[in-house]
């Protein structure tokens, strides 16, 4: 049990090193105080030890042999005899061709010691000593894929693509790097020209500029004279004004292209950028709303939990509503009714963050709409200047129009969700550890510390995973990110939810599986120096401790200490608790594969994609004026692909999660 | 596949494009023997599954010839004689095409035509062709060793064989045979086409048996010998293609029984001394692919057969076609149809219509022994070559030549067979025997084959 003791001490060190100041020792004290926590630590330590002994590959074999021998010995007493007799008679009777001698050379080729009975082929099973791909070759493979895709785009893609003008309001805060980097990477992957207008509240800061500078995009980074208020209401309002400011820049510089409102912390499917190329003047898209709380165990989480129980969880979607002949007939807006009194007022509140009725992000504009003197400027557009002196809340780009019916619904008439709206913020007064926003583990020497870059990637992968974009997008992003960092062998994400294997982020279910994976990676890359391998080891441990801390340290042990909860474990890890994440993943996971059929009539306060199993009618709790029939239709290729992806993700056949996947597959097939 | 043809494609002049687009009509005449329906139609009535498995070419070829303009009703003017006998359509209750009766059936059919018509005896099969799409063609056995031992049915030694099996210097491929693609359902594949702009983001794709030891245990136990224990030994040996066709459908149910089955089967297996037979089904190439690349992020390989198999192929750059039980597999056809560059891992394979299709320029050939370096080999192909291969694959005549569509379309595999036959004309004078001369030994071959059918 030396191991677990070591873990504990490690955890203490880690929490200490991560906390900025203040209520330092509460967690270390409390974790020792609680017998429950110790029990779990010990149990996990035990699991780890066991798995350490067994090892990943070794264990698989051992397990198999134990299983097979026990099976045979058991059956020897009872059924084995009959089985063998049966087999013998069959061999003799049914097929006389059986008695042939097998060519001798085949007997000699024996697979690497797995079993003496395994006789295969002319060459045997050739296994190379070093199984891992050469990083240079991986890069090259990605280049090949990229080239192939470029060729595809040339042939089948948009012929004369217009520039994408992305408008992003932002401000310096704890999660700015997280959100902004996410959007930045999405924009970096856009295969068209991109102009990125970043409007920063307060002023243009170096912090923001340093994030933006990594993108290599053409960026217009401007400040906005007002500071970001602390309330969500205020933030929404100011952001609207910042976007208008960006539009005025578009007008002044006469930028030509398609304006999208890419808020930081939104998630974009790569398909979106193809889809918006179709817009003539102004287009509207469906936005998946990830309404959730900033914390794990409050009412909002319960709302979602409850919905899961009722088999009717849903993801709100806002955007254009079409009739059956694909004509725009109205809007699906966010119904904030169920959340009255429960929504967050201030940024960082432990309550649900609600979107506006219609988010700006759901609209795209042809930038020529904004120009003063465009030749074929349509008549139904107001002049941007005329809006300067309007002081009321400008809710959405629809204010620009005299006639709303001109809006072009995009994404199969709003049936496809190509972007997601999410607001996750830390408390306004929270900070990453002082000095830098890179997380450094101080007791390692400089060379071995995890740099911000790796951490960035981990965060991004987290974000992508959470967003569960289209499967293709996700893979593309992860793999490109991997390609960026492939020169550093592997990246290990010390996040509390997952870690990255050579291919993808694997959900961290238990210490046991976790360590199996770890051992697999730990034992295999033998070319790593001992030091490096140790580092990896430490990172894994830290992830484990993170997990434990989030689970036990914070939720259980500090419920009453209202003073310290703000800076407790949430800021330690990535920032949002496990449960929220799971909830988000859950929501997105299900929403992504369902497209919404057009309602027959409009006047829909809110739209929800029903649970796959639910009957096609709207749930009765929904407030619908006229019977709106919504039916979830499987988006065939999309969902199937992700399905197959999921299954290929569980290539290792012994993974217990397979059963789970199958159940889900069945769910979706029933529809 | 007409709607796909907006793409920029490429053809190799003098080779692929031209020969594939030949029209066989007018260049040959085929006489179709009228056989009693027990040789063809009645067998099909008994088991309609024959229409969908990968040997279905024999049935569709017959149907095609009946309505084809090359057919002649006058045997005197015929260049080729066709005997419609469905030798692989004799399925076990499991749906496994085990060709135990095929030699006797074929023999019976030949006996019939040789006694009813004078044309067989004229050449003893020299101007006759037979469609034998089974694993090892006219060797009529599903195991390679047995097939080699048997050799081509003695009565067919002078005939031209139209078969899927193709491997150089192999007993079961005689000179002058025409290698055809295995049957893949054209309608079904068409239904799974996705927009061509869908980015190909998978580097290497493979689905199918991989011969992984543990997977193998499961597979054997669950798929093959679940309901028909009487076939268990046979099936254990024939693990591979034969089991697969069944396995695809029933895998779901099988999951539930897995633990019990494993117990039973393990004991069963332990009691069969020569159970290592099972593992010989693949020459090691697939297992090597799995062992070397199962954790490689560039390789999307697995034994699971997803519902999106066809779609995924359209998202892949390379599709592996490693040899399995036989060197060929329907993957080749699927890869070509879906524009995924086939990576052929099967030494000495003879590919379909190799005289008309420049496979070297279209696919990638990797020696079985080089499988451990597969990634390096694929990555070192210049991008321009890859793009050219893709353009060649997109050539409509390429796609058409791989399919047996209903109804037949110009340039499809039927026409390629006819083209192949036409290219063999005129017949060599030496095939015509002097009256009364006999070359074929009607009593050769295993005693079991000589029994009446």
């Amino acid at each position: 049990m030396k191991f677990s003791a070591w873990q504990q001490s490690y955890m203490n060190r880690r929490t200490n090193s991560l906390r900025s100041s203040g209520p330092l020792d509460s967690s270390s004290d409390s974790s020792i105080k609680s017998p429950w926590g110790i029990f779990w630590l010990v149990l996990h330590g035990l699991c780890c030890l066991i798995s350490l002994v067994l090892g990943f590959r070794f264990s698989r074999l051992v397990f198999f042999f134990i299983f097979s021998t026990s099976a045979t010995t058991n059956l020897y007493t009872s059924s084995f005899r009959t089985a063998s007799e049966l087999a013998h008679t069959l061999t003799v009777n049914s097929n006389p061709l059986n008695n042939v001698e097998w060519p001798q050379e085949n007997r000699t080729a024996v697979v690497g010691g797995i079993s003496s009975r395994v006789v295969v082929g002319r060459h045997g099973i050739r296994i190379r000593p070093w199984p891992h791909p050469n990083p240079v070759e991986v890069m090259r493979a990605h280049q090949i894929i990229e080239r192939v895709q470029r060729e595809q785009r040339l042939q089948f893609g948009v012929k004369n693509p217009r520039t994408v003008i992305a408008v992003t309001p932002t401000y310096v805060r704890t999660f700015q790097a997280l959100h902004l980097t996410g959007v930045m990477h999405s924009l970096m992957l856009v295969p068209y020209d991109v102009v990125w207008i970043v409007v920063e509240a307060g002023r243009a800061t170096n912090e923001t500029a340093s994030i933006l500078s990594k993108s290599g995009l053409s960026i217009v980074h401007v400040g906005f004279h007002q500071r970001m208020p602390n309330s969500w209401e205020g933030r929404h309002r100011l952001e609207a004004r910042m976007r208008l400011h960006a539009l005025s820049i578009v007008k002044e510089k006469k930028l030509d292209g398609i304006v999208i409102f890419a808020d930081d912390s939104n998630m974009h499917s790569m398909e979106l950028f193809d889809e918006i190329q179709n817009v003539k003047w102004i287009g509207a898209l469906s936005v998946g709303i990830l309404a959730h709380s900033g914390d794990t165990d409050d009412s909002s989480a319960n709302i979602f939990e409850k919905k899961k129980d009722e088999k009717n969880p849903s993801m709100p979607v806002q955007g254009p509503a079409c009739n059956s002949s694909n004509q725009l007939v109205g809007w699906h807006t966010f119904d904030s009714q169920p959340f009255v009194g429960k929504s967050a007022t201030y940024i960082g509140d432990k309550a649900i963050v609600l979107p506006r009725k219609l988010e700006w992000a759901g609209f795209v504009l042809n930038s020529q709409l904004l120009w003063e003197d465009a030749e074929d400027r349509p008549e139904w557009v107001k002049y941007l200047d005329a809006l300067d002196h309007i002081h009321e809340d400008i809710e959405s780009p629809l204010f620009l129009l005299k006639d709303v019916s001109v809006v072009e619904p995009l994404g199969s008439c709003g049936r496809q969700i190509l972007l997601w709206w999410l607001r996750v913020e830390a408390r306004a007064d929270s900070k990453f550890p002082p000095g830098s926003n890179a997380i450094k583990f101080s007791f390692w020497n400089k060379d071995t510390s995890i740099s911000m870059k790796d951490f960035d990637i981990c965060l991004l992968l987290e974000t992508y995973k959470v967003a569960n974009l289209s499967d293709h997008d996700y893979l593309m992003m992860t793999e490109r990110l991997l390609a960026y960092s492939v020169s550093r062998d592997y990246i290990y994400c010390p996040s509390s939810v997952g870690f990255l294997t050579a291919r993808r982020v694997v959900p961290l279910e238990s210490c046991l599986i976790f360590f199996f994976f770890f051992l697999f990676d730990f034992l295999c890359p033998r070319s790593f120096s001992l030091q490096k391998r140790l580092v990896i080891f430490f990172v894994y441990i830290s992830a484990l401790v993170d997990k434990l801390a989030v689970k036990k340290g914070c939720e259980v042990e500090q419920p009453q200490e209202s003073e310290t909860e703000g800076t407790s474990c949430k800021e330690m890890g990535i920032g949002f608790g496990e449960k929220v994440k799971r909830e988000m993943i859950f929501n997105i996971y299900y929403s992504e594969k369902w497209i919404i059929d057009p309602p027959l009539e409009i006047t829909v306060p809110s739209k929800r994609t029903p649970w796959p199993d639910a009957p096609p009618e709207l749930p009765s709790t929904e407030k619908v004026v006229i019977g709106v029939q919504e039916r979830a239709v499987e988006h065939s290729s999309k969902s199937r692909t992700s399905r197959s992806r999921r299954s290929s993700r569980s290539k290792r056949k012994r993974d217990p999660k397979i059963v789970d996947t199958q159940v889900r597959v069945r769910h979706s097939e029933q529809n | 596949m007409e709607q796909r043809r907006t793409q920029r494609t490429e053809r190799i002049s003098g080779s692929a494009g031209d020969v594939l687009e030949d029209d066989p009509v007018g260049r040959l005449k085929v006489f179709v023997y009228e056989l009693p329906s027990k040789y063809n139609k009645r067998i099909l009535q008994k088991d309609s599954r024959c229409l969908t498995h990968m040997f279905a070419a024999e049935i569709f070829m017959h149907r095609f010839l009946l309505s084809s303009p090359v057919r002649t009703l006058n045997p005197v003017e015929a260049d080729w004689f066709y005997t419609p006998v469905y030798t692989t359509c004799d399925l076990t209750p499991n749906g496994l095409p085990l060709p135990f009766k095929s030699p006797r059936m074929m023999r019976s059919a030949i006996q019939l035509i040789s006694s009813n018509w004078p044309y067989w005896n004229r050449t003893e099969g020299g101007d006759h062709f037979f469609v034998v799409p089974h694993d090892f063609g006219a060797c009529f056995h599903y195991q390679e060793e047995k097939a080699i031992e048997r050799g081509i049915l003695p009565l067919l030694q002078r005939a031209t064989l139209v078969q899927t099996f193709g491997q150089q210097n192999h007993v079961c491929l005689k000179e002058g045979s025409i290698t055809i693609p295995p049957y893949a359902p054209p309608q079904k594949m068409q239904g799974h086409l996705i927009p061509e702009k869908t980015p190909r983001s998978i580097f290497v794709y493979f689905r199918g048996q991989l011969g992984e030891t543990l997977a193998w245990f499961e597979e054997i136990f669950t798929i093959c010998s679940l309901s028909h224990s009487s076939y268990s030994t046979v099936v254990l040996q024939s693990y591979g293609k034969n089991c697969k066709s069944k396995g695809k459908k029933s895998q779901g149910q099988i999951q539930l029984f897995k633990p019990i089955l494993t117990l039973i089967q393990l004991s069963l297996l332990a009691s069969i001394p020569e159970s290592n037979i099972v593992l010989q089904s693949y020459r090691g190439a697939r297992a090597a692919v799995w062992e070397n690349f199962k954790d490689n992020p560039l390789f999307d390989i697995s034994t699971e057969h997803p519902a999106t198999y066809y779609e995924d192929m359209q998202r892949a750059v390379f599709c592996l076609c490693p040899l399995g039980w036989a060197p060929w597999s329907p993957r080749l056809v699927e890869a070509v149809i879906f524009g995924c560059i086939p990576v052929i891992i099967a030494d000495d394979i003879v590919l379909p219509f190799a005289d008309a299709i420049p496979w070297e320029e279209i696919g990638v050939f990797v020696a079985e022994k080089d499988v451990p370096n597969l990634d390096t080999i694929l990555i070192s192909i210049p991008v321009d070559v890859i793009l050219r291969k893709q353009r060649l694959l997109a050539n409509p005549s390429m796609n058409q030549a791989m399919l047996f569509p209903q109804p037949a379309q110009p340039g499809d595999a039927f026409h390629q067979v006819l083209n192949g036959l036409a290219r063999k004309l005129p017949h060599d004078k030496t095939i015509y025997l002097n009256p009364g001369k006999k070359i074929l030994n009607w009593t050769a071959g295993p005693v079991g084959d000589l029994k009446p059918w």
Side-chain angles (χ1 to χ4, degrees):
Chain A
M1 290 304 95
K2 206 169 154 191
F3 192 72
S4 61
W6 176 83
Q7 272 184 359
Q8 278 185 30
S9 70
Y10 170 75
M11 191 186 109
N12 296 343
R13 279 155 84 189
R14 179 160 154 68
T15 45
N16 286 345
S17 69
L18 281 177
R19 275 155 185 247
S20 48
S21 62
L24 276 177
D25 28 20
S26 60
S27 85
S28 56
D29 283 348
S30 53
S31 74
I32 290 164
K33 262 185 228 155
S34 154
W36 190 236
I38 291 173
F39 170 73
W40 274 108
L41 267 180
V42 169
L43 190 76
H44 276 260
L46 218 105
C47 287
C48 300
L49 263 183
I50 291 167
S51 53
L52 237 168
V53 173
L54 293 179
F56 177 64
R57 296 190 154 185
F58 186 56
S59 70
R60 201 166 64 151
L61 265 180
V62 166
F63 184 76
F64 174 69
F65 279 118
I66 289 171
F67 184 61
S68 65
T69 48
S70 70
T72 20
T73 46
N74 288 344
L75 285 160
Y76 260 114
T77 53
S78 54
S79 63
F80 172 64
R81 191 172 290 269
T82 53
S84 67
E85 272 167 14
L86 174 77
H88 269 293
T89 49
L90 284 172
T91 329
V92 177
N93 296 340
S94 69
N95 192 2
L97 307 170
N98 236 346
N99 314 324
V100 187
E101 275 296 313
W102 292 91
Q104 205 55 42
E105 69 269 15
N106 279 344
R107 292 191 183 276
T108 54
V110 171
V111 184
I114 292 172
S115 154
S116 60
R117 285 189 139 174
V118 183
V119 182
V120 184
R122 276 184 201 177
H123 303 290
I125 301 174
R126 294 182 173 232
I127 300 172
R128 56 182 184 189
W130 174 247
H132 296 279
N134 178 350
V136 180
E137 287 180 356
V138 175
M139 279 296 262
R140 171 110 184 88
H142 281 278
Q143 281 161 11
I144 291 176
I145 292 174
E146 205 172 307
R147 180 72 201 282
V148 165
Q149 292 183 354
R150 198 162 67 218
E151 200 70 17
Q152 281 184 293
R153 269 202 304 278
L154 273 178
Q155 280 192 43
F156 312 111
V158 185
K159 286 302 173 214
N160 299 307
R162 288 177 276 178
T163 310
V164 174
I165 304 167
V167 169
T168 305
T170 188
Y171 67 104
V172 176
R173 61 197 190 275
T174 313
F175 285 175
Q176 189 197 26
L178 168 68
H179 294 322
L180 202 58
T181 323
V183 172
M184 180 174 86
H185 278 255
S186 296
L187 292 176
M188 282 162 74
L189 290 172
V190 175
Y192 312 110
D193 290 339
V194 176
V195 177
W196 192 13
I197 304 177
V198 180
V199 186
E200 189 169 357
R203 62 193 169 82
T205 59
N206 287 339
E207 273 157 298
T208 310
S210 70
I211 297 171
L212 300 180
S213 63
K214 293 183 218 157
S215 70
L217 300 167
S218 57
I219 287 173
V220 182
H221 181 197
V222 291
F224 195 71
H225 54 85
Q226 270 174 287
R227 286 183 60 84
M228 188 59 80
N230 248 345
S231 72
W232 281 109
E233 189 62 34
R235 178 172 164 185
H236 285 307
R237 258 179 222 199
L238 184 64
E239 279 180 344
R241 255 174 287 157
M242 287 158 80
R243 291 188 193 103
L244 280 179
H245 183 62
L247 292 184
S248 66
I249 294 174
V250 173
K251 189 188 81 179
E252 277 162 31
K253 298 197 173 185
K254 287 195 96 172
L255 297 175
D256 193 7
I258 299 159
V259 179
I260 67 163
F261 299 99
D263 302 345
D264 60 1
S265 84
N266 279 8
M267 258 71 76
H268 301 87
S269 162
M270 283 297 111
E271 274 173 66
L272 170 81
F273 298 99
D274 294 329
E275 182 64 28
I276 59 169
Q277 294 288 342
N278 300 327
V279 79
K280 185 156 187 295
W281 289 112
I282 177 162
L285 295 147
S286 281
V287 187
I289 303 290
L290 307 170
H292 76 96
S293 71
D295 196 31
T296 55
D297 51 48
D298 69 350
S299 55
S300 75
N302 293 338
I303 289 174
F304 282 102
E305 293 280 296
K306 246 185 255 158
K307 278 177 189 152
K308 278 174 216 161
D309 292 343
E310 291 162 16
K311 292 239 163 193
N312 184 26
S314 50
M315 180 166 97
V317 175
Q318 56 171 229
C322 292
N323 60 15
S324 48
S325 54
N326 282 352
Q327 307 253 291
L328 180 75
V329 285
W331 302 95
H332 296 289
T333 56
F334 187 80
D335 179 15
S336 54
Q337 212 81 75
F339 304 101
V340 168
K342 290 175 191 160
S343 61
T345 319
Y346 293 101
I347 294 171
D349 264 2
K350 289 165 72 173
I352 302 173
V353 183
L354 297 181
R356 309 272 82 190
K357 259 194 173 140
L358 284 172
E359 278 291 325
W360 283 68
F363 293 91
V364 291
L365 311 173
N366 185 333
S367 66
Q368 295 186 14
L369 273 187
L370 308 165
W371 296 2
E372 293 279 305
D373 49 353
E375 292 155 23
D376 46 357
R377 191 172 184 279
E379 288 169 8
W380 38 259
V381 184
K382 298 178 196 164
Y383 284 94
L384 200 57
D385 295 341
L387 302 157
D388 273 356
H389 35 75
I390 297 178
H391 290 290
E392 73 219 41
D393 202 1
I394 294 169
E395 285 255 312
S396 70
L398 293 177
F399 75 91
L400 268 172
L401 311 176
K402 292 171 189 158
D403 175 11
V404 179
S405 62
V406 293
V407 175
E408 308 150 38
L410 299 174
S412 324
C413 215
R415 262 160 244 142
Q416 233 178 329
I417 298 169
L418 298 173
L419 80 157
W420 292 270
W421 182 95
L422 168 71
R423 290 289 180 270
V424 183
E425 294 298 349
R427 270 171 60 129
D429 52 356
S430 67
K431 270 197 184 98
F432 273 120
S436 78
N437 53 359
I439 295 205
K440 297 215 172 176
F441 302 102
S442 50
F443 53 93
W444 297 337
N445 72 38
K446 218 174 165 190
D447 298 335
T448 55
S449 67
I450 301 283
S451 69
M452 182 58 192
K453 209 162 180 198
D454 285 357
F455 193 72
D456 260 352
I457 289 167
C458 293
L459 285 185
L460 279 172
L461 288 174
E462 283 297 319
T463 323
Y464 293 152
K465 190 178 67 169
V466 166
N468 199 352
L469 310 170
S470 86
D471 223 343
H472 161 247
D473 292 331
Y474 172 71
L475 260 185
M476 221 166 71
M477 290 185 191
T478 42
E479 284 181 11
R480 289 204 189 184
L481 286 171
L482 276 177
Y484 291 147
S485 52
V486 95
S487 52
R488 292 193 299 282
D489 297 309
Y490 290 115
I491 322 162
Y492 294 89
C493 287
S495 80
S496 56
V497 168
F499 57 96
L500 194 65
T501 62
R503 178 132 200 173
R504 34 197 135 228
V505 180
V506 180
L508 177 52
E509 285 305 333
S510 75
C511 171
L512 198 76
I513 297 173
F514 171 71
F515 258 85
F516 276 15
F517 275 96
F518 149 64
L519 274 165
F520 172 68
D521 276 340
F522 183 66
L523 295 173
C524 290
R526 295 199 179 278
S527 72
F528 289 8
S529 65
L530 184 67
Q531 196 188 25
K532 201 162 185 182
R533 282 158 64 190
L534 277 175
V535 170
I536 294 159
F537 182 68
F538 276 67
V539 174
Y540 275 114
I541 298 278
S542 74
L544 173 72
V545 174
D546 260 2
K547 191 179 168 66
L548 291 180
V550 169
K551 271 204 169 148
K552 300 291 157 233
C554 310
E555 285 176 13
V556 179
E557 305 195 330
Q558 303 179 319
Q560 309 97 330
E561 298 173 54
S562 55
E563 288 297 302
T564 54
E565 69 186 6
T567 49
S568 67
C569 48
K570 264 206 298 164
E571 274 77 30
M572 259 172 57
I574 284 187
F576 23 88
E578 286 249 300
K579 208 162 160 191
V580 177
K581 265 190 199 166
R582 254 184 278 126
E583 182 183 290
M584 287 179 338
I585 292 165
F586 181 87
N587 280 328
I588 304 163
Y589 181 78
Y590 283 104
S591 66
E592 186 223 355
K593 345 197 131 46
W594 307 97
I595 14 176
I596 311 109
D597 243 13
L600 302 172
E601 294 286 341
I602 203 49
T603 57
V604 192
S606 154
K607 183 171 63 165
R608 286 164 179 276
T609 46
W611 174 253
D613 279 338
E617 288 81 29
L618 270 182
S620 55
T621 51
E622 201 70 47
K623 282 185 149 189
V624 189
V625 180
I626 300 168
V628 175
Q629 202 189 20
E630 289 186 13
R631 193 162 52 84
V633 178
E634 194 174 352
H635 176 347
S636 55
S637 73
K638 252 294 95 76
S639 69
R640 287 209 183 140
T641 333
S642 57
R643 189 92 320 133
S644 74
R645 248 25 158 78
R646 275 193 77 78
S647 56
S648 69
R649 234 171 257 180
S650 47
K651 257 200 261 183
R652 253 166 276 268
K653 296 202 104 186
R654 247 122 297 271
D655 195 331
K657 292 194 67 175
I658 279 181
V659 182
D660 180 37
T661 323
Q662 279 175 345
V663 172
R664 283 193 227 156
V665 170
R666 212 164 296 143
H667 272 307
S668 66
E669 275 166 2
Q670 278 169 6
N671 271 259
Chain B
M1 309 265 136
E2 285 312 309
Q3 76 278 18
R4 310 194 73 194
R5 294 301 133 235
T6 51
Q7 189 172 357
R8 200 154 35 128
T9 61
E10 188 169 329
R11 50 189 276 176
I12 301 169
S13 61
S15 181
D18 301 356
V19 183
L20 286 175
E21 284 160 26
D22 280 352
D23 185 4
V25 179
R27 294 167 58 209
L28 80 165
K29 291 204 179 304
V30 177
F31 179 75
V32 180
Y33 282 117
E34 293 248 4
L35 292 192
S37 61
K38 68 168 181 173
Y39 290 100
N40 41 55
K41 294 204 183 78
R42 197 151 340 136
I43 299 177
L44 185 59
Q45 270 167 14
K46 211 171 70 191
D47 202 333
S48 60
R49 286 178 292 182
C50 300
L51 281 173
T52 49
H53 69 59
M54 57 182 133
F55 307 127
E58 63 179 2
I59 298 160
F60 291 116
M61 194 70 202
H62 179 210
R63 292 184 178 177
F64 164 71
L65 281 172
L66 288 180
S67 58
S68 166
V70 303
R71 182 187 179 192
T72 175
L73 296 173
N74 177 10
V76 177
E77 60 168 29
D79 301 304
W80 287 100
F81 294 84
Y82 168 65
T83 315
V85 48
Y86 299 168
T87 49
T88 55
C89 183
D90 178 23
L91 305 185
T92 66
N94 278 3
L96 311 181
L98 300 181
F100 295 130
K101 288 186 200 151
S102 308
R104 278 154 58 197
M105 187 174 170
M106 185 61 94
R107 193 186 154 85
S108 155
I110 293 172
Q111 241 157 6
L112 189 85
I113 57 168
S114 66
S115 52
N116 288 4
W117 285 276
Y119 311 104
W120 174 271
N121 292 330
R122 202 172 62 183
T123 60
E124 292 207 313
D127 52 359
H128 287 56
F129 72 90
F130 292 84
V131 182
V132 279
H134 203 269
D135 283 6
F136 292 97
C139 288
F140 292 126
H141 205 282
Y142 55 88
Q143 277 172 257
E144 186 171 13
E145 287 77 10
K146 299 293 289 182
I148 291 172
E149 194 184 296
R150 292 179 54 92
I152 291 174
L153 191 74
L155 289 180
L156 293 176
Q157 256 148 18
R158 289 172 58 81
T160 296
L161 300 177
V162 176
Q163 58 183 33
T164 46
F165 174 78
Q167 185 180 325
Q168 279 156 27
N169 309 318
H170 197 284
V171 188
C172 301
L173 178 69
K174 72 188 197 72
E175 212 189 330
S177 294
I178 294 172
T179 313
I180 57 167
Y183 177 79
Q187 267 85 21
K188 191 177 161 205
M189 292 168 87
Q190 217 143 18
H192 286 271
L193 289 179
I194 59 174
E196 285 163 283
K197 65 173 187 187
T198 315
R200 292 190 182 267
S201 51
I202 303 168
F203 193 62
V204 178
Y205 185 75
F206 176 82
R207 286 291 180 279
Q209 315 288 325
L210 280 156
E212 192 208 12
T213 331
L214 291 172
W216 162 75
F217 272 108
E218 273 168 25
E219 224 77 61
I220 282 291
F221 301 153
T222 55
I223 295 165
C224 304
S225 42
L226 172 60
S227 47
H228 294 270
S229 56
S230 61
Y231 284 99
S232 58
T233 34
V234 175
V235 170
L236 275 173
Q237 292 166 38
S238 69
Y239 156 68
K241 175 177 318 113
N242 299 336
C243 295
K244 198 168 59 193
S245 53
K246 181 167 175 277
K248 275 175 204 166
K249 284 167 204 147
S250 50
Q251 228 144 20
Q253 316 151 9
I254 278 162
Q255 292 283 344
L256 305 171
F257 301 107
K258 204 175 259 175
I260 312 160
L261 273 168
T262 313
L263 287 180
I264 297 167
Q265 296 300 333
L266 271 170
S267 58
L268 188 72
L269 195 83
S271 64
I272 304 171
E274 63 271 41
S275 59
N276 55 10
I277 295 165
V278 183
L279 292 162
Q280 293 186 339
S281 52
Y282 302 125
R283 277 189 254 163
R286 292 195 183 185
V289 167
W290 173 253
E291 289 299 331
N292 285 302
F293 302 109
K294 58 187 169 189
D295 295 317
N296 191 317
L298 299 174
F299 282 67
D300 191 343
I301 55 176
S302 154
T303 51
E304 291 163 36
H305 223 288
T308 53
Y309 176 61
Y310 287 154
E311 283 85 353
D312 291 346
M313 276 191 139
Q314 295 167 73
R315 293 166 179 270
V317 180
F318 292 106
C319 289
L320 298 186
C321 307
L323 76 167
W325 192 239
W328 57 273
S329 78
R331 277 179 203 85
L332 178 74
V333 176
E334 291 157 354
V336 169
I337 300 301
F338 294 128
C340 181
I341 299 169
V343 179
I344 294 143
I345 309 172
D347 295 353
D348 302 325
I349 191 172
V350 177
L351 291 168
F353 311 127
D355 54 343
I357 296 174
W359 286 106
E360 293 290 337
E361 314 215 27
I362 288 164
V364 177
F365 290 80
V366 177
E368 286 170 39
K369 66 174 169 44
D370 291 336
V371 167
N373 304 323
L374 189 57
D375 53 348
T376 317
I377 292 170
L378 295 182
I379 285 157
S380 55
I381 304 172
V383 183
D384 293 328
V385 175
I386 291 176
L387 293 177
R388 176 155 189 268
K389 284 179 195 295
Q390 288 185 328
R391 285 198 299 273
L392 287 170
L393 279 171
N395 186 330
S397 60
M398 226 2 258
N399 283 334
Q400 203 61 274
M402 288 295 109
L403 291 175
F404 296 93
Q406 301 294 315
Q409 287 160 13
D412 62 12
F414 300 120
H415 289 81
Q416 300 313 322
V417 174
L418 295 183
N419 278 336
L421 290 170
R423 281 195 289 270
K424 290 183 189 299
L425 295 176
H427 290 299
D428 193 350
K429 290 288 165 243
T430 56
I431 66 161
Y432 297 101
L433 304 173
N434 295 326
K437 194 184 173 198
K438 294 272 178 237
I439 290 178
L440 290 183
N441 178 4
W442 283 75
T443 53
V447 189
D449 290 359
L450 302 181
K451 283 187 238 162
W453 180 61

